[in-house]
Amino acid sequence: MGVPFLDLKAQYATIKDEVLAAVSNVFDDQAFVLGKYVEAFEAEAAGYLGVKHAIGVSNGSDALLISLMAAGIKPGDEVICPGFTFFATAGAVARLNAVPVFCDVHEDTFNIDLQSAASKVTPKTKAIIPVDLYGQCADMEGVMDLAREHNLAVIDDAAQAFGATRNGKKAGTFAHFGCFSFYPTKNLGGAGDGGMIATNDDALADRVKLLRLHGERPRYHNKVVGICGRLDALQAVVLSIKLKRLDEWNARRAEIADRYNERFKGNDKIATPPISKGNTHIYHQYTLRLPNRDDVAKQLAEQAIGCGVYYPVPLHLQECFSDLGGKKGDLPVCEKLCDTALSLPVFDQMTDAQADQVADAVISAVG
Ligand SMILES: *Cc1c(COP(=O)(O)O)cnc(C)c1O
């Protein structure tokens, strides 16, 4: 038997009765969009994150879009983001006809390289989007210092890092905006699409709430052009149930990661993911760097062991951004990681035996 990359059915089995009862309540109420269930989840999430405002939105991509809109990003403004991340980080910038400007990342942590970011700042730069990739925080103190120096808005893409901490603070709470995704495969995943924006700023929170509802205030009177960016009650009740288990689930993911680290220790062909000083890691992904990545991925697939390549193409070389003039060689670390990074199965219901099976297969495949 193989090992799945992610097993959401096993997780669901542990909460099924509670989820079905909560979903049934929402159906009885026939109140599906925003409303009391969403407000309850927002309050729970704000308490968990230790942040003043946690605002439920339609998905993580819209969380980024709404945050950029609330920051006043206009056509032609430049927004710096890493070239090694999920597409949505930069897609949100482009959708506002602003210009994503890609910077390099650190090879070991996969997170933003601030020297590279600083070298991209121009008079047109208005914001920066660090990403807490795979579940650990970027150097957020460094990002905030750079932003203060150049008067930039900071939108933290914490879509992969709900519950991760840095120097005792939760991911997504350092910046002007922290953006989360509740896509089902995320470590806090809903039953469909969902997202959230965290902020400690009352005025920005008010702006976000205005923008997620077509800029309408009061009803049918539109102050600004917003989007349809609401969170559903069905998502909120499922997320409330999962949030109560999140620390336990994140801890189990970290145990699996520790087990992998132990097994790969001393193997000079396998680079394991280090944790930066002051960070805790929630391992949305457990990602190795391997010289023969494609070959290892193929061998794992043959044994029905799940693995994933996040991400095969750096953003500066994506076809849709070709008009920005990115060339091979511009961001050497991003490009290298696209050829070497391989994510292994890690999920809260994973057994030690499954982790050992994956580790054995990787060790034998790297040769
Ligand atoms: C998942 C993800 C998003 C987008 O979230 P959706 O809810 O799928 O829209 C944005 N950024 C990163 C880094 C992500 O992993």
Side-chain angles (χ1 to χ4, degrees), residues 59-61 64 85-86 88-89 131 157 159-160 181 183 186 194 311:
N59 55 61
S61 305
L64 292 163
T85 172
F86 180 58
T89 311
V131 182
D157 185 343
Q160 301 187 357
S181 165
Y183 186 74
K186 297 284 156 69
Y311 298 90

Side-chain angles (χ1 to χ4, degrees), residues 188-205:
L188 179 59
D193 281 308
M196 180 160 267
I197 298 169
T199 182
N200 279 309
D201 185 309
D202 295 340
L204 292 180

Side-chain angles (χ1 to χ4, degrees), residues 36-55:
K36 67 179 180 186
Y37 297 108
V38 171
E39 283 163 24
F41 173 61
E42 288 176 334
E44 290 155 15
Y48 177 87
L49 294 171
V51 77
K52 230 165 141 185
H53 306 276
I55 301 155

Side-chain angles (χ1 to χ4, degrees), residues 193-268:
D193 281 308
M196 180 160 267
I197 298 169
T199 182
N200 279 309
D201 185 309
D202 295 340
L204 292 180
D206 185 64
R207 190 87 185 156
V208 164
K209 284 186 182 162
L210 184 66
L211 288 164
R212 89 172 158 178
L213 243 181
H214 288 304
E216 160 181 283
R217 191 175 287 164
R219 199 92 211 257
Y220 305 122
H221 293 71
N222 299 78
K223 286 177 127 53
V224 292
V225 178
I227 71 166
C228 176
R230 305 170 296 228
L231 184 66
D232 292 344
L234 286 170
Q235 301 307 329
V237 295
V238 170
L239 292 164
S240 285
I241 290 165
K242 290 193 171 194
L243 182 60
K244 287 187 280 177
R245 272 96 171 166
L246 189 69
D247 283 344
E248 185 194 315
W249 287 343
N250 283 345
R252 180 59 187 157
R253 299 171 93 101
E255 268 176 24
I256 299 291
D258 288 344
R259 198 169 182 92
Y260 281 145
N261 286 337
E262 198 54 43
R263 293 294 312 278
F264 299 141
K265 202 152 80 186
N267 188 318
D268 59 10

